[in-house]
Amino acid sequence: MKITGTFLDEITHDIPSQNWGPDEWRRDFDAMQQVGIDTVILIRAGYRNRATFDSDVLNGHRDMLPAYTDLVDLFLTEAGMRDMNFFFGTYDAGTFWDEGDYRTEVAINKNFCAEVVDRYGDRDAFAGWYISHEINAYDEDQMVVYEELADHLRGLKDVPILMSPYIRGPKQFGEEALGLAEHVATWEQVFARIQDHVDIVAFQDGNVALTDLPRYLEANRKLAARYGLTSWSNVETFDRDVHIQFPPIDFRKLRYKIEQATAANVDKLITFEFSHFLSPNADHPAARRLHQRYREWIEG
Amino acid sequence: MKITGTFLDEITHDIPSQNWGPDEWRRDFDAMQQVGIDTVILIRAGYRNRATFDSDVLNGHRDMLPAYTDLVDLFLTEAGMRDMNFFFGTYDAGTFWDEGDYRTEVAINKNFCAEVVDRYGDRDAFAGWYISHEINAYDEDQMVVYEELADHLRGLKDVPILMSPYIRGPKQFGEEALGLAEHVATWEQVFARIQDHVDIVAFQDGNVALTDLPRYLEANRKLAARYGLTSWSNVETFDRDVHIQFPPIDFRKLRYKIEQATAANVDKLITFEFSHFLSPNADHPAARRLHQRYREWIEG
Amino acid sequence: MKITGTFLDEITHDIPSQNWGPDEWRRDFDAMQQVGIDTVILIRAGYRNRATFDSDVLNGHRDMLPAYTDLVDLFLTEAGMRDMNFFFGTYDAGTFWDEGDYRTEVAINKNFCAEVVDRYGDRDAFAGWYISHEINAYDEDQMVVYEELADHLRGLKDVPILMSPYIRGPKQFGEEALGLAEHVATWEQVFARIQDHVDIVAFQDGNVALTDLPRYLEANRKLAARYGLTSWSNVETFDRDVHIQFPPIDFRKLRYKIEQATAANVDKLITFEFSHFLSPNADHPAARRLHQRYREWIEG
């Protein structure tokens, strides 16, 4: 298997901007196509005061920075020209993280996504929704976000809904990490609750020790299958093991993770994300080398 | 408005060295000139045991590392050939930060700046002083540094004196940040005290949420005007919003900050700083792209 | 003096991978040779679940990631073709750091190093052992690691044994740092204990203030001489003084450290490490410039 999907991280949370304009993006969509990427996922349409386009809904809701370039239009156009599927990531107002206020998140997104469908709903490449609020365990309030928002999105445009949760693993949570059994138990709860609201689940694969990953991949695939969800693996191409947050991953780790996801029989591999960490056009020279190593390997 | 001034950060506090020699600096002064930079500000002539030239005063005062290259001479020469104004940043002994000992800071700088005027005072480009001790609020001891040092500098060479304070904003101070009213109140105190000692104030623009920036820019300009000070804005070209400290800023943020500073009617835009973050010669590919985006925009 | 040895950091603890394949390594060995490097030291043959080759011993002991490429073979081959000396760095199981369990470290390494000698012991370039467990002071348990392991290594292949400790200095330990007298006292203890087990000691030179370094270099050389050990200096080429961990060092600091190590009469200069921080092929543009500055100086 190879990686056939990537996030587009242009309203970024913690990854430095590469300051690309339309020409650089075009060139990178070409590079994606060349390695077989057929799916692009907008990581989020907006985050707090920043957005990928000048949205009337968001501007009406709070002070926003100007978007200057309509990135949704740009990405839909580039994806459309290459027969790629584009998944639209919802807006993250930040209120859930700051104040546990999920009501605002849902309320804004309902109006905002209606605006999105109004503006972009008829574009060929618009093939899915991505709910951008990442979760790692069962949480009542977050379930409501997923339920209400997913129902609303489905009503606006009936295309597959993707989520990409993370494992409450030791690399991020240290001693508060969940073990495999606890992980499975809490996700049984999650999927029992949202199985009719979400279609595809792509667990991030970077939060547990690499040598524990096979067990998690296997468990996650079975878990998803039990609830009728499609399994993708989000094969992270950045490295969580070093001081600098975050450089491209060591190719040996990437290859191992892809081999294990393949062995676990997931349906598709996507990555966070191509343009910074796996692209021949990335700023990091190590990403350009990762691209080279990856190409040598998949072209074998 | 465009950015017409930049700091030169070669005795750096926390930005990695690019290891440039005279040739690389020459090339970068060319690049500065090409985008209309007419003012360069040495961020500090020395910091603890490092200095921009081998100073008899500093060597007499403590163990210093050799300078190897006289950067003050190099910068004055390059600035002079291009009719740029050079502001000389004072020495930071570190004793104020470590022990609250401002007496040493003032005492060393008096002798040191006399040596500076002796060595470089007649150079054409020597157009101003920059007091490198950054402050964010009223502090009695720091006021004395500013008063005594500024008087002394004025006596050595009567050229404009610049300061570039930071806002005690949430990006650096979290819950201990000052609100706008508190910020204005404390800076009323500062300016009432040092209005006759300093000529230009260039607040750093990166410490508050971007969408709050317009109010701060406006308040700062009015504040400065009330005390007869010239207002510049220090439009930071590095990004404070990501894990890595620090990459070049996202162009969208830079453009927004320049637009807002223009709307607030400041007299000049400077930046910290061109060579690492906005230059076509910078190490960061994202800085080279920022340069491209910035050029496209100012050249319209 | 110039730098004639370098570590090879390919099972890295905290430095991002450059994702080099055999071609990139070959090119970098050429670059090393060009600046006079005659000694390469594998920083560690493995770390926890990662290894430089697929070892039967390690695979029998725990879950390991595949190595994919045999780096020990690659490095021995490239070193051999250039008449370089290769020092083999032992495996770090992580159990000592995690649980104070040094028994496991010693036990695994005994079997592992036997496998190493079996596989690579007859290679021309195999010229030394490097005990990869870094220490900074006397510690009874660590002494046992050094004693037992060194005896065992000597029995497997009788070549010089190198260690590269760090100073318990203020850059890493703040207020818990040792002063020079305490440093000397604890290292008297260490060397009294392991003088017959280790042949060469290369203290890392980046943990104390640069202007204190001359005193430490002098003390360390005398200390080693008193116990019949050869003194090398590990002239670090990365910068410990900035937020980003870690960029290439400022050339001025590197030059100063080399000048001081030369003045202290050490026998050889090695560095951690060439390929990321001092190479014309490194990812960091600042490393490539450091290479240039260094070449200008040594060829000067």
Side-chain angles (χ1 to χ4, degrees), chain A residues 10 19 21 24 49 68 245, chain B residues 244 249 251-252 259 293:
Chain A
E10 202 45 2
N19 284 314
E24 286 87 359
N49 60 14
Y68 299 117
Q245 291 173 317
Chain B
I244 292 180
I249 200 166
F251 171 65
R252 293 167 288 186
E259 289 173 343
R293 297 286 90 76

Side-chain angles (χ1 to χ4, degrees), chain A residues 142-162:
Chain A
Q142 289 176 322
M143 292 304 97
V144 178
V145 175
Y146 272 77
E147 284 175 340
E148 293 197 10
L149 199 50
D151 281 353
H152 183 74
L153 296 177
R154 194 91 69 192
L156 289 170
K157 187 171 170 78
D158 191 12
V159 285
I161 297 180
L162 166 69

Side-chain angles (χ1 to χ4, degrees), chain C residues 41 65 84 111 133 139 166 171 175 197 209 231 264 280 288:
Chain C
I41 306 142
L65 301 179
M84 293 177 175
N111 293 331
H133 287 79
D139 174 278
Y166 54 117
K171 291 206 186 177
E175 300 204 344
H197 304 278
S231 271
R288 296 178 228 143

Side-chain angles (χ1 to χ4, degrees), chain C residues 76 84-88 123-129 157-161:
Chain C
L76 278 166
M84 293 177 175
N85 291 321
F86 175 90
F87 280 67
F88 184 90
R123 303 285 283 263
D124 288 344
F126 199 139
W129 296 104
K157 189 172 168 76
D158 190 14
V159 286
I161 297 180

